[in-house]
Amino acid sequence: GPNVTSMTNTYRSCTNLTTAVCGNNVDRMYDTYIDCTKLTTPVCGDNVTGMYTTYSRCKNLTTAVCGPNVTVMYQTYSDCTNLTTAVCGNSVTNMSYTYYNCTNLTTAVCGDNVVNMAFTYSDCTNLTTAVCGNNVTNMRSTYYGCDNLTTAACGNNVTDMSVTYANCYNLTTAVCGPNVTNMFYTYGNCYNLTTAVCGPNVTNMYH
């Protein structure tokens, strides 16, 4: 109905659902369509601010959406293994686990206001391009296990790069922002890396 504001768990595990809906007054889409394995087209209303695990494990989704007022995209599209296109609205600050294990995703995006990119593209095995916005501070495990990633990126405000590019077997170029302090296992198992870098403020380079 037109007065609905929360769609938390509304259609969870409706495995035969093929079409999504979202009213104009909805501001919370927590777990709304999680495990709707036949859903093909996502929606997001203009007033939605939270997209927590909204479409997680929707295996038939190929396209992502994000409303203009969304601030949190925590696990929004995690395990959407057929997703090929990523999006991020300008209001988003939290992209942790957003596209985790989206194995068909090839291109990464990051909004201007994103601060948290922890595990955002982890295990996106077909991802070829890395991005990092200038406001990002947390890149923990952001690109972990991205086998086909060849180029790295790091914004000027990043402080945590722990495990960021670990198991990126085809990565050839390394980067490190000026404010990074934590590089724990950042390039672990990057067998094809030819050049390593370290910023002036790094305190932890264990492993």
Side-chain angles (χ1 to χ4, degrees), residues 98-109:
T98 305
Y99 295 103
Y100 174 83
N101 198 38
C102 291
T103 51
N104 277 307
L105 200 65
T106 56
T107 304
V109 294

Side-chain angles (χ1 to χ4, degrees), residues 70-149:
V70 173
T71 58
V72 178
M73 288 185 75
Y74 174 76
Q75 276 193 333
T76 307
Y77 295 100
S78 63
D79 294 301
C80 291
T81 50
N82 281 308
L83 197 70
T84 56
T85 305
V87 295
C88 178
N90 286 331
S91 297
V92 174
T93 58
N94 185 349
M95 281 187 76
S96 56
Y97 289 91
T98 305
Y99 295 103
Y100 174 83
N101 198 38
C102 291
T103 51
N104 277 307
L105 200 65
T106 56
T107 304
V109 294
C110 178
D112 292 338
N113 293 308
V114 173
V115 176
N116 187 353
M117 284 186 75
F119 293 88
T120 303
Y121 295 102
S122 182
D123 289 323
C124 291
T125 51
N126 280 306
L127 198 70
T128 56
T129 306
V131 294
C132 178
N134 283 330
N135 289 312
V136 174
T137 58
N138 184 356
M139 284 188 74
R140 182 184 179 191
S141 300
T142 303
Y143 295 103
Y144 174 88
C146 293
D147 299 356
N148 284 303
L149 198 67

Side-chain angles (χ1 to χ4, degrees), residues 138-195:
N138 184 356
M139 284 188 74
R140 182 184 179 191
S141 300
T142 303
Y143 295 103
Y144 174 88
C146 293
D147 299 356
N148 284 303
L149 198 67
T150 56
T151 305
C154 178
N156 290 334
N157 291 310
V158 174
T159 56
D160 188 352
M161 285 187 72
S162 55
V163 202
T164 303
Y165 295 103
N167 290 1
C168 291
Y169 304 128
N170 287 304
L171 194 70
T172 56
T173 305
V175 294
C176 178
N179 292 307
V180 173
T181 57
N182 187 357
M183 288 187 73
F184 170 79
Y185 207 62
T186 302
Y187 298 105
N189 295 327
C190 292
Y191 303 129
N192 285 304
L193 197 67
T194 56
T195 305

